Amino acid sequence: MDIVGNVLPQVLKDEATEDKGEMARLQSFVGAIAVADLVKTTLGPKGMDKILKPTGPGQEMTHITVTNDGATILKSMYVENPAAKILIEISKTQDEEVGDGTTTVAVLAGELLREGEKLIQKRIHPQHVIAGWRIARDVALKRLRDISSENDIKSQEFHNDLVKIARTTLSSKLITQDRDYFADLCVKAVLRLKGSSNLDYIQIIKLPGGTIRDSYLDDGFILKKQITIGCKRRIENAKILVANTAMDYDKIKIYGTKVKVNSMDKVAEIEAAEKEKMKNKVDKILKYQPTVFVNRQLIYNYPEQLLADSNITVIEHADFEGMERVAAATGAEILSTFDAPERRDQVLGHCDLIEEIMIGEEKMIKFTGCKKNEACTIVLRGSSIHILDEVDRSIHDVLCVLTTTVKNRRVVWGGGNSEMQMAAACEEEAKKVQGKQALAIEAYARALRQIPTIICDNGGYDSAELIQNFNVELQKGNLTSGLNMNDGTIGDMQELGVKECMRVKEQAVMAASEAAELIMRVDDIVKCAPRKRDRA
Amino acid sequence: MSQAPQAAQQQAQKSNTYNKSEKTKDIRLTNIQAAKAVADAIRTSLGPRGMDKMIQDAKGQVLITNDGATILKQMDLVHPTAKMLVEISNAQDVEAGDGTTSVVVFAGALLKSCEVLLEKGIHPTTISEGFQFALEYALTALDELKKPVDLADKQQLIECVQTALSSKVVSSNSAQLAPLAVDAVLRIVDPEKPNNVDLKDIKIVKKLGGTIDDTELVEGIVFSNQKASQAAGGPQQIKNAKVALLQFCLSAPKTDVENSIAIKDYTEMDKILKEERKYIIDLVKKIVASGANVLLIQKSILRDAVNDLSLHFLAKKGIMVVKDIEREDVEFISKTLCLVPVAHIDQLTPEKLGTAGLVETVHLNDESKVLRITEVPAQSKALTILVRGSNQLVLDEADRSIHDALCVVRSLVKSKGLIPGGGAPEIHLSLRLTQMANTLTGAKSMCVRAFADALEVIPYTLAENAGLNPINVVTELRNRHLKSQKFAGIGMKKNNIVDDITTEQVVQPILVTRSALSLATECVRMILKIDDLVISAR
């Protein structure tokens, strides 16, 4: 019954809830803004990290994560609010699309909604707000493209651009002090790919011990496995056969197979036959004339010995990932049957040298001079696994941004420059538009300007003054000015060498606007009754 | 499950209502406090006069140790930042093997000084940068104390190991253990790769009984659990042994497919027994033909590695049989004896055998027996240390201490430099950094100075643990270093300050200090950068 006493028909199931109109909107605003606020302190070179601590029974002792990466934080957060979930989704998408700007996108969407809330309070219909935002977005993106520059992919300038972009991306991460070192390292790795964006060729190995500075780029491919005993530890000009096959007896997989015999000799014969089967398989493999045999599964002692006797170096128990990388790097095919030795040239991989190396306390196998020369390995060292994980994430971000840049080639100035320019463009547009949309366009500009503001705030600088000065510099026509976060002043981004990838910004603006629009349109939230689980 | 979403909602509400700066400050302070608590817990075990800790684990097992890494590992910490300190201690263990306590104590001191800096309103990233700057300067300043080390000069190496062992339970035995560790590592250095050694090539075998004095270095292999078979009077001593490592079994055949032998009457049973006998005799014949007189047989879970019958025949032929060799030991054995493991009887050929001058069951001075393989080929690059101890606790601690000692030697192989011990390097660096801080301005200067102050925690704690007046000692040391006595340190022999600590043979590898400083700084910088603790679903 409602307050007046009318009996309402029950439409929804028990336990299902519905929020309508203002309530629904308010709920989504609060959720989205809360999420955005949570991650916004990680933004910028002076941004902070978060500890992620798993909860739940038996989870207390599991690994904690320390990170600055927006996507990682949001991914592991436990939220129920549907709007907050949308923000998490766009951050994930950003991560998959371009790899960086995952915090920016969530924060921008949050700020847009904060502005949107104010507009709604002024009794402007959500549809008008959305219409205004759409105009603003197009104007902003156009400006973004206009201010971006492009260099020829082979030129030295482009190489410099890449290094600068890598430095900018790294500046907000844990390894900011060593950013020059890592920027160089990442650029070298990406340039090896020669335009391909398959990051599988860049392998990252994490080993605790040493300091971050001890990390290095190794040309060639490193497999975290050991060469079997009794084999050669150094193979030059190797022919590699990569396989995924069971090297024990090919067991008949029928449940309860059993043989009945009437003498011990027969048992011995069967045993011999089983051994013979293994030997046959080895013989088949030998027909391919490899010098190195890599198998995903365990290789039993007997076939191992046979192979070793034929002077083949055996690497057993390479996991799926390792095996696939070996295959990709050396240009081998992964085999599980061995009946076509005539195809040997196609299926065998090749590399100039395989040797055992020692990193820290661990022995590993290094493949150098692979057929596909793109492969390389980044060996990360660091004092703890937390640091290594975080460096891994940072390096991954940088690699993603760099490959995106190699594909797109357009770059913009960093230090909040692009956001401020986009905001300026929106404000100019707002003056030309008639109707209520103009208010929404202005709001969009304010939201964009929040990004540099937050970066200032995180550094503990006076954001109000800095942003105003920044704006004045831009109006004066100093189009390369930006935030100098070392001194808390407005500096020349050209001098400081702060550049960013245009594609990352573009994607962030598009995704954030889309998400904000989506949440804005909501006026009704229905939560279904939780599905009952039978507890037997 | 229902609690988690609620908590998340509360979290969401909190971030709206809480004053943000206050919250982040709180998180930072709790992080620092937790880390400090860990550092305080183990600081009393630092130095030669440091104390040991007794730890009772969840199962009620008792452990007594002085090794920082081990204490922390056993402490079962929950707080995230406390766990990070455990990790750096581990990393130090991997990298240098020693200084696992110092690294945590230093990290704790650094965090303490952060607290003061944060209160002054210096931004955490500025502190972080300042520390990094200070660290780089400190590492270059450390080289001023460095003395080159010559691996041929054993005496120097031994002194170094003695310093490392001085804080352990086994310190009274250091005169004996130190040369042992030095010999062991130098023996396995590969001339082709003179800058690293793999400590896995040194196997530490523990055997209860005797005293630590009975610990010895064996150029060969010692098996404490596996024994030579005594069935049918099998030989217990073999000279000029030809050793075969078998990865197949000497027992009745067993197929992978399930089998059963159906017999109808008694005569058939006889036949089967005969066949089994024949089968085994064939195997033994082939072994004899290969010339092997010592068999090491890998453990098999699927079937018996040997049976009475095969033992009997082998004993008759005068062949020693050792069964239950672990799979992990196979590589070590093949390295030591220069042999190739054999997986099938048909492949058992003379060139796959290893040689050893003597294989024998040795009665140690008490009841216990071990099997010992000695006089191994000269090109062998692996050896064993047999550790003795009167009880399990001492034995375990001796094992850890020997590991530390080996690591110290390895650090010297890795980076060939020695620096004085006894708090001298820390005071030296602290002074140099303070001098440098005076040339700087701004927050950076403050941070460098804080770093310098934190360094003094090491000599301070050393003195405190030795029962000296820490304030007097540290100030006195500072004074002496200012008068450019840069080797002045705390001497534990007479509990006083010594003008040149190296005259008391207190030296340590440069790698230990270098890695402790870098690891601690790296970790502190990470903790500083954290401003929030997010409860996550996974």
Side-chain angles (χ1 to χ4, degrees):
Chain A
M1 283 201 293
D2 69 358
I3 3 165
V4 200
N6 297 328
V7 176
L8 290 175
Q10 190 181 14
V11 183
L12 298 168
K13 247 189 187 173
D14 279 350
E15 289 185 59
T17 55
E18 189 185 11
D19 290 316
K20 284 185 184 162
E22 286 301 298
M23 273 307 287
R25 215 166 273 131
L26 195 69
Q27 215 188 340
S28 23
F29 287 151
V30 169
I33 292 170
V35 168
D37 277 351
L38 184 80
V39 289
K40 79 178 186 189
T41 55
T42 64
L43 207 61
K46 300 251 166 167
M48 291 289 140
D49 292 359
K50 311 259 175 231
I51 292 183
L52 306 178
K53 192 177 176 213
T55 51
Q59 297 281 298
E60 291 81 13
M61 291 316 292
T62 48
H63 231 57
I64 53 157
T65 313
V66 179
T67 186
N68 176 279
D69 184 41
T72 314
I73 301 173
L74 292 172
K75 242 188 281 178
S76 45
M77 240 165 50
Y78 203 101
V79 290
E80 218 191 355
N81 187 300
K85 276 189 185 151
I86 293 177
L87 248 59
I88 293 172
E89 280 304 317
I90 55 164
S91 181
K92 268 193 219 166
T93 322
Q94 177 86 4
D95 197 25
E96 282 154 22
E97 279 282 318
V98 288
D100 192 30
T102 50
T103 316
T104 316
V105 69
V107 172
L108 188 56
E111 292 303 332
L112 275 173
L113 287 170
R114 205 191 296 271
E115 293 294 334
E117 196 182 357
K118 285 182 209 154
L119 294 175
I120 301 257
Q121 272 164 6
K122 288 186 195 155
R123 317 300 302 164
I124 298 175
H125 193 273
Q127 290 296 2
H128 285 295
V129 178
I130 291 168
W133 283 357
R134 283 198 180 158
I135 299 172
R137 184 194 66 194
D138 292 341
V139 171
L141 287 178
K142 185 172 175 297
R143 174 63 66 92
L144 183 68
R145 283 179 201 125
D146 288 346
I147 59 171
S148 65
S149 58
E150 187 176 353
N151 277 317
D152 184 62
I153 194 147
K154 293 235 166 54
S155 65
Q156 185 60 35
E157 285 82 22
F158 184 68
H159 185 265
N160 291 349
D161 275 357
L162 284 182
V163 176
K164 282 174 191 161
I165 289 171
R167 280 175 44 117
T168 312
T169 310
L170 283 171
S171 65
S172 63
K173 311 286 181 189
L174 183 75
I175 42 179
T176 164
Q177 262 81 6
D178 299 320
R179 60 175 178 263
D180 292 335
Y181 181 75
F182 279 101
D184 194 43
L185 194 148
C186 292
V187 170
K188 274 189 191 142
V190 167
L191 288 180
R192 283 182 78 96
L193 293 177
K194 298 191 189 83
S196 125
S197 60
N198 188 355
L199 288 181
D200 282 347
Y201 287 131
I202 301 177
Q203 197 199 10
I204 298 181
I205 285 185
K206 296 177 275 185
L207 274 178
T211 59
I212 291 173
R213 271 288 169 104
D214 297 329
S215 309
Y216 62 94
L217 179 76
D218 209 321
D219 55 333
F221 172 80
I222 294 178
L223 190 66
K224 219 170 157 179
K225 288 285 171 264
Q226 295 216 356
I227 295 178
T228 311
I229 314 149
C231 297
K232 270 203 286 184
R233 307 268 142 162
R234 190 188 153 91
I235 305 103
E236 277 169 36
N237 217 346
K239 301 253 175 291
I240 305 156
L241 181 66
V242 185
N244 177 10
T245 182
M247 288 302 283
D248 51 351
Y249 328 87
D250 276 331
K251 238 184 251 181
I252 309 166
K253 296 235 168 75
I254 303 170
Y255 180 72
T257 35
K258 204 170 178 182
V259 285
K260 273 200 175 163
V261 288
N262 59 0
S263 78
M264 211 53 160
D265 270 352
K266 289 267 163 60
V267 182
E269 262 168 41
I270 295 171
E271 196 189 23
E274 282 172 348
K275 287 257 155 87
E276 192 58 35
K277 259 196 136 168
M278 284 204 237
K279 192 160 187 298
N280 283 344
K281 199 160 193 180
V282 172
D283 286 342
K284 273 192 197 166
I285 291 169
L286 289 180
K287 285 214 181 98
Y288 283 84
Q289 297 165 349
T291 52
V292 179
F293 180 65
V294 183
N295 193 13
R296 185 187 75 78
Q297 304 182 23
L298 280 174
I299 304 177
Y300 282 62
N301 290 333
Y302 178 63
E304 197 172 279
Q305 173 109 52
L306 289 174
L307 288 165
D309 281 350
S310 322
N311 231 342
I312 295 174
T313 297
V314 183
I315 301 165
E316 65 169 346
H317 211 199
D319 42 25
F320 268 117
E321 203 194 359
M323 185 186 66
E324 270 163 22
R325 280 173 198 262
V326 171
T330 60
E333 269 178 40
I334 299 171
L335 297 185
S336 31
T337 52
F338 307 95
D339 296 322
E342 67 279 2
R343 287 190 64 241
R344 128 167 229 277
D345 290 337
Q346 285 102 301
V347 297
L348 288 192
H350 175 267
C351 85
D352 291 341
L353 177 68
I354 296 178
E355 61 184 335
E356 217 172 34
I357 53 164
M358 224 173 125
I359 310 173
E361 274 199 337
E362 292 214 46
K363 271 193 188 145
M364 303 196 185
I365 308 167
K366 183 175 156 189
F367 298 72
T368 20
C370 297
K371 199 176 192 174
K372 298 245 171 75
N373 209 16
E374 286 105 46
C376 58
T377 305
I378 297 174
V379 179
L380 296 179
R381 308 296 311 273
S383 61
S384 76
I385 196 78
H386 307 125
I387 291 184
L388 286 175
D389 284 347
E390 177 63 359
V391 175
D392 179 11
R393 279 188 289 272
S394 313
I395 296 277
H396 178 255
D397 278 6
V398 176
L399 293 177
C400 285
V401 174
L402 289 180
T403 44
T404 314
T405 317
V406 169
K407 255 191 274 169
N408 184 277
R409 301 220 297 278
R410 301 200 76 90
V411 292
V412 290
W413 298 108
N417 179 293
S418 54
E419 285 87 359
M420 290 298 279
Q421 297 240 33
M422 282 191 275
C426 291
E427 268 168 1
E428 283 159 28
E429 184 69 21
K431 287 172 194 151
K432 292 181 226 154
V433 173
Q434 281 199 335
K436 286 186 266 198
Q437 285 97 316
L439 289 174
I441 300 175
E442 273 174 14
Y444 198 94
R446 277 197 298 277
L448 278 171
R449 211 161 268 159
Q450 276 301 310
I451 301 278
T453 311
I454 292 168
I455 294 179
C456 283
D457 284 338
N458 285 347
Y461 300 127
D462 184 353
S463 60
E465 180 164 336
L466 272 177
I467 297 300
Q468 177 54 29
N469 291 350
F470 192 172
N471 214 1
V472 172
E473 285 295 319
L474 285 180
Q475 293 299 329
K476 271 195 220 157
N478 296 331
L479 292 180
T480 57
S481 53
L483 295 171
N484 177 349
M485 289 304 289
N486 291 332
D487 318 331
T489 52
I490 301 301
D492 187 350
M493 289 298 115
Q494 199 158 10
E495 269 170 40
L496 292 167
V498 181
K499 283 195 173 186
E500 280 175 291
C501 172
M502 195 273 277
R503 179 82 189 98
V504 174
K505 293 278 163 198
E506 195 181 26
Q507 178 68 25
V509 170
M510 283 198 294
S513 327
E514 243 167 53
E517 199 177 297
L518 198 67
I519 296 172
M520 201 68 177
R521 281 167 180 278
V522 172
D523 75 338
D524 197 322
I525 299 175
V526 179
K527 269 187 203 153
C528 298
R531 195 174 57 189
K532 291 270 184 300
R533 283 201 192 122
D534 291 328
R535 291 223 175 94
Chain B
M1 277 301 278
S2 68
Q3 274 179 344
Q6 263 177 9
Q9 266 178 346
Q10 275 169 1
Q11 187 86 11
Q13 278 162 5
K14 257 190 211 166
S15 50
N16 263 358
T17 51
Y18 258 11
N19 181 346
K20 196 190 78 200
S21 61
E22 206 161 89
K23 182 186 171 196
T24 53
K25 205 171 163 189
D26 278 351
I27 294 277
R28 232 172 250 137
L29 284 186
T30 33
N31 281 345
I32 290 176
Q33 241 124 40
K36 261 166 54 189
V38 176
D40 281 343
I42 63 163
R43 62 180 291 218
T44 53
S45 61
L46 187 80
R49 298 289 162 96
M51 289 296 162
D52 292 2
K53 305 264 174 259
M54 183 185 258
I55 301 163
Q56 191 171 21
D57 67 11
K59 287 183 210 139
Q61 296 272 348
V62 177
L63 180 101
I64 299 176
T65 183
N66 178 283
D67 186 46
T70 316
I71 301 175
L72 289 173
K73 232 179 269 169
Q74 298 293 331
M75 266 170 46
D76 216 8
L77 294 161
V78 202
H79 196 278
T81 45
K83 274 195 204 161
M84 282 184 204
L85 287 192
V86 180
E87 296 239 2
I88 56 165
S89 180
N90 276 341
Q92 174 80 3
D93 199 23
V94 172
E95 189 65 18
D98 190 26
T100 51
T101 315
S102 321
V103 68
V104 176
V105 171
F106 178 54
L110 263 186
L111 283 169
K112 206 174 188 174
S113 50
C114 286
E115 224 173 343
V116 184
L117 293 174
L118 283 172
E119 248 162 51
K120 287 195 175 115
I122 301 177
H123 196 275
T125 48
T126 316
I127 303 178
S128 167
E129 275 161 31
F131 280 179
Q132 179 69 17
F133 177 75
L135 172 72
E136 271 157 33
Y137 187 83
L139 289 182
T140 48
L142 194 62
D143 283 339
E144 292 164 11
L145 295 175
K146 178 172 148 183
K147 283 183 180 170
V149 61
D150 183 7
L151 287 184
D153 183 3
K154 271 196 189 170
Q155 191 51 38
Q156 207 176 11
L157 299 181
I158 291 171
E159 282 166 19
C160 206
V161 176
Q162 277 176 341
T163 310
L165 288 180
S166 62
S167 62
K168 312 283 172 192
V169 176
V170 296
S171 59
S172 52
N173 305 87
S174 63
Q176 191 220 349
L177 294 182
L180 192 142
V182 173
D183 283 344
V185 176
L186 291 185
R187 178 93 209 267
I188 59 160
V189 175
D190 188 352
E192 279 170 33
K193 293 174 200 153
N195 289 323
N196 206 350
V197 283
D198 190 351
L199 289 186
K200 285 185 194 118
D201 291 342
I202 300 176
K203 195 173 152 167
I204 298 181
V205 175
K206 295 183 277 185
K207 185 80 186 166
L208 197 64
T211 60
I212 296 175
D213 284 329
D214 299 327
T215 298
E216 58 181 328
L217 181 69
V218 179
E219 293 193 0
I221 309 173
V222 175
F223 294 108
S224 63
N225 295 323
Q226 295 88 351
K227 292 188 184 69
S229 153
Q230 289 185 324
Q236 298 299 307
Q237 187 194 40
I238 287 191
K239 283 185 180 151
N240 296 327
K242 296 262 179 222
V243 187
L245 180 55
L246 304 185
Q247 293 180 311
F248 57 90
C249 302
L250 299 176
S251 56
K254 191 178 168 196
T255 56
D256 210 39
V257 181
E258 210 176 308
N259 73 61
S260 62
I261 305 173
I263 44 172
K264 284 179 215 113
D265 52 44
Y266 198 76
T267 48
E268 266 185 49
M269 195 160 144
D270 255 359
K271 195 180 125 212
I272 284 166
L273 284 176
K274 230 183 259 166
E275 277 168 359
E276 188 185 337
R277 213 175 139 89
K278 188 172 164 283
Y279 178 83
I280 287 178
I281 289 179
D282 277 350
L283 286 179
V284 174
K285 268 188 191 155
K286 281 179 187 159
I287 291 168
V288 172
S290 73
N293 52 14
V294 175
L295 299 182
L296 306 176
I297 303 177
Q298 189 180 320
K299 202 176 202 167
S300 168
I301 43 166
L302 294 172
R303 63 195 251 202
D304 296 332
V306 284
N307 62 10
D308 290 345
L309 213 54
S310 54
L311 284 179
H312 176 81
F313 289 131
L314 288 167
K316 265 194 176 166
K317 292 284 174 196
I319 295 174
M320 182 191 272
V321 182
V322 185
K323 58 173 186 175
D324 290 348
I325 303 290
E326 300 290 338
R327 177 90 160 102
E328 303 91 75
D329 292 339
V330 168
E331 182 166 9
F332 179 78
I333 294 171
S334 40
K335 230 177 183 169
T336 320
L337 300 175
C338 305
L339 55 73
V340 182
V342 182
H344 192 270
I345 186 74
D346 293 340
Q347 287 159 337
L348 185 63
T349 48
E351 69 270 13
K352 292 213 170 75
L353 303 182
T355 52
L358 184 65
V359 180
E360 61 173 342
T361 310
V362 183
H363 289 265
L364 298 170
N365 43 13
D366 49 349
E367 286 304 295
S368 50
K369 274 186 268 184
V370 292
L371 181 77
R372 204 196 272 246
I373 304 180
T374 45
E375 296 171 41
V376 294
Q379 69 268 34
S380 140
K381 279 263 164 263
L383 37 79
T384 310
I385 294 175
L386 176 64
V387 186
R388 307 298 313 274
S390 52
N391 64 44
Q392 196 62 41
L393 295 176
V394 172
L395 201 58
D396 290 346
E397 179 67 2
D399 175 16
R400 281 188 290 273
S401 307
I402 290 175
H403 171 76
D404 278 9
L406 294 175
C407 287
V408 169
V409 187
R410 185 185 59 172
S411 322
L412 287 172
V413 173
K414 267 192 194 164
S415 106
K416 299 179 173 56
L418 276 176
I419 51 168
E426 285 82 9
I427 288 284
H428 173 76
L429 294 182
S430 170
L431 270 182
R432 291 297 309 269
L433 283 171
T434 318
Q435 281 163 7
M436 203 256 298
N438 290 341
T439 65
L440 298 170
T441 52
K444 207 176 192 176
S445 171
M446 299 276 277
C447 297
V448 174
R449 197 179 289 258
F451 193 91
D453 287 344
L455 274 168
E456 283 183 357
V457 76
I458 303 280
Y460 188 94
T461 315
L462 273 179
E464 204 176 55
N465 288 349
L468 299 170
N469 182 336
I471 296 172
N472 286 352
V473 170
V474 170
T475 46
E476 165 93 36
L477 271 180
R478 243 191 250 166
N479 205 331
R480 296 224 189 170
H481 276 254
L482 256 187
K483 289 181 196 145
S484 65
Q485 292 179 350
K486 59 182 182 182
F487 291 109
I490 312 168
M492 286 301 160
K493 280 184 186 148
K494 296 186 196 111
N495 255 9
N496 60 354
I497 292 175
V498 189
D499 285 343
D500 187 351
I501 193 81
T502 48
T503 56
E504 289 210 357
Q505 281 93 39
V506 181
V507 281
Q508 56 184 358
I510 192 165
L511 188 78
V512 172
T513 309
R514 193 188 281 271
S515 125
L517 291 180
S518 340
L519 290 177
T521 314
E522 205 169 281
C523 179
V524 167
R525 283 178 47 207
M526 182 158 207
I527 294 176
L528 266 181
K529 234 174 156 264
I530 295 164
D531 76 336
D532 207 350
L533 206 152
V534 181
I535 306 293
S536 68
R538 270 161 293 143

